[in-house]
Amino acid sequence: MLPAFSFVTASDIRFGRGEAARSVPDLAKMGDRILLVTGAEAARADWLAEALAARGVALERFSVPGEPDLARIEAGVAVAREFGTQAVIAIGGGAALDGGKAIAALAPAPRPAMDHLEVVGKGLPLEVPPLPFAALPTTAGTGTEVTRNAVISVPEARRKVSLRDRAMLPDLAIVDPALTDSCPRGVTLAAGLDAVTQVIEPYLCTRANPMTDALCRPAILNGMAALKLLMEGAPEAQQAAQDRMSWVALCGGLALANAGLGVIHGLAGPLGGLSGAAHGAICGALLPHGLALNAARSEDAQTLSRIEELRGWIGQVLGCDAPASFMRLADWSRGCGLLGLDALGISGEHREKAAEAAASSSSMKANPALLTAPEMLEMMAQAR
């Protein structure tokens, strides 16, 4: 018998080259006064600001130049309220999208942000619906354009935690691979490894279901192949590979929002909060070693079967035998320029605290094996 499951996502998902420009009329209808949230390179959103202004929309801009912390979100909420914002549009990488999503959720909220944050706050549900929200990713990585949470750093607690509510699912997600074409190579690699991780972990996790399996199973091989092309392929193959990578990132967002993740994200959140290192790079560094640890510690027959599938798919793309595939992935990623944990500024103290903090991480709750802190410390030592 098939297991019972539910599946929720953004109200409207649009995928394909040119969709961003084609969707401007609908974006303009979201409100007369729109807050446009951008990433570090705000000028990349000039075309959208100009197109919305030409349709009579009053715009206020707000930048989220890096992974958002609580102070940045609170500043954005203040701007949104003062402007009388009717809707929020975010364009950029995962950080900008998380920032926009959080601002849209908290601008109408009567309670302070800490009342709604997981782990370090009260984790209360939203009492008032968020402002209408649209997301346009410019990297192929996090899939946050279709998730129900926003990741926020709380420096005082040295943690990255989620603001999470089903009401936060975006009203409009526009995945236009053309927006990712100008990404630097290092960003493409880290984001791509994050995207691959986010179709692998939901496939292995204890809450996998037929819908998420249908998304993840083909996306794992597709994502690895696309990422290899982006790193090594001829220039004429890059655009098609970017399209495939954007699709994989979307699949990952859909899957993690409806199944779960595992030890890689369970450690990546605390490590990022403690060190300030980029999330995608941490996931990429941890991925092969997290897979190897779960392979050694899992006892469930279905999980072990799926791990063997993974070995075969990764080996097929990287040209090695299945048993060697996880370590070949580690070597290949480093060869493409991915930094290890030491080079990312993650110290032994950070790793020790992350191993302790992982027990309270929402991502760890669906990991297919029960892991101890010493095992996770050894795993992180191998990712140095």
Side-chain angles (χ1 to χ4, degrees), residues 41 44 138-139 180-190 231 242:
E41 298 181 39
R44 293 182 67 187
T138 61
T139 61
T180 73
D181 284 344
S182 59
C183 272
R185 175 184 171 88
V187 174
T188 296
L189 175 62
M231 293 298 106
Q242 287 284 14

Side-chain angles (χ1 to χ4, degrees), residues 47-348:
W47 69 270
L48 179 56
E50 293 165 4
L52 291 170
R55 290 182 171 270
V57 174
L59 284 176
E60 181 71 26
R61 291 207 198 196
F62 186 79
S63 175
V64 180
E67 295 183 3
D69 61 17
L70 184 56
R72 194 66 186 159
I73 297 301
E74 290 174 336
V77 168
V79 169
R81 289 173 175 170
E82 183 177 354
F83 181 60
T85 301
Q86 297 173 349
V88 177
I89 297 172
I91 178 169
L97 269 55
D98 272 352
K101 195 189 302 183
I103 292 167
L106 293 172
R111 291 178 175 271
M114 283 294 290
D115 280 3
H116 302 290
L117 292 183
E118 297 179 347
V119 183
V120 301
K122 296 180 180 178
L124 297 175
L126 297 173
E127 298 173 346
V128 178
L131 296 174
F133 175 65
L136 294 84
T138 61
T139 61
T142 66
T144 192
E145 66 273 8
V146 289
T147 66
R148 65 181 90 184
N149 71 300
V151 178
I152 301 170
S153 176
V154 184
E156 297 81 4
R158 302 186 74 188
R159 291 292 299 268
K160 286 182 183 178
V161 297
S162 278
L163 171 68
R164 188 189 311 271
D165 196 287
R166 181 169 173 166
M168 291 172 60
L169 286 162
D171 298 278
L172 180 57
I174 301 168
V175 183
D176 185 336
L179 298 180
T180 73
D181 284 344
S182 59
C183 272
R185 175 184 171 88
V187 174
T188 296
L189 175 62
L193 287 168
D194 188 20
V196 170
T197 303
Q198 290 181 172
V199 287
I200 288 176
E201 288 202 294
Y203 188 60
L204 296 181
C205 82
T206 58
R207 296 198 294 264
N209 64 61
M211 184 74 84
T212 59
D213 284 352
L215 290 164
C216 292
R217 188 177 286 112
I220 294 168
L221 181 56
N222 201 5
M224 280 300 307
L227 189 56
K228 190 168 188 292
L229 274 175
L230 288 170
M231 293 298 106
E232 302 176 7
E236 60 269 19
Q238 298 296 295
Q239 192 173 98
Q242 287 284 14
D243 289 5
R244 292 165 65 188
M245 206 71 241
S246 291
W247 168 246
V248 171
L250 175 59
C251 289
L254 293 168
L256 74 88
N258 289 282
L261 291 164
V263 65
I264 297 157
H265 279 81
L267 289 170
L271 287 173
L274 290 160
S275 68
H279 173 78
I282 297 173
C283 287
L286 292 176
L287 175 58
H289 309 288
L291 291 175
L293 178 56
N294 272 328
R297 293 287 287 110
S298 294
E299 298 178 353
D300 175 69
Q302 177 175 282
T303 299
L304 293 172
S305 174
R306 292 184 176 208
I307 288 173
E308 289 310 306
E309 286 181 312
L310 284 172
R311 291 187 193 275
W313 293 331
I314 295 171
Q316 178 181 334
V317 173
L318 297 183
C320 66
D321 293 336
S325 62
F326 293 162
M327 291 308 101
R328 173 67 182 126
L329 174 59
D331 293 341
W332 178 83
S333 300
R334 293 290 182 96
C336 290
L338 187 75
L339 300 178
L341 297 186
D342 283 353
L344 289 170
I346 295 172
S347 67

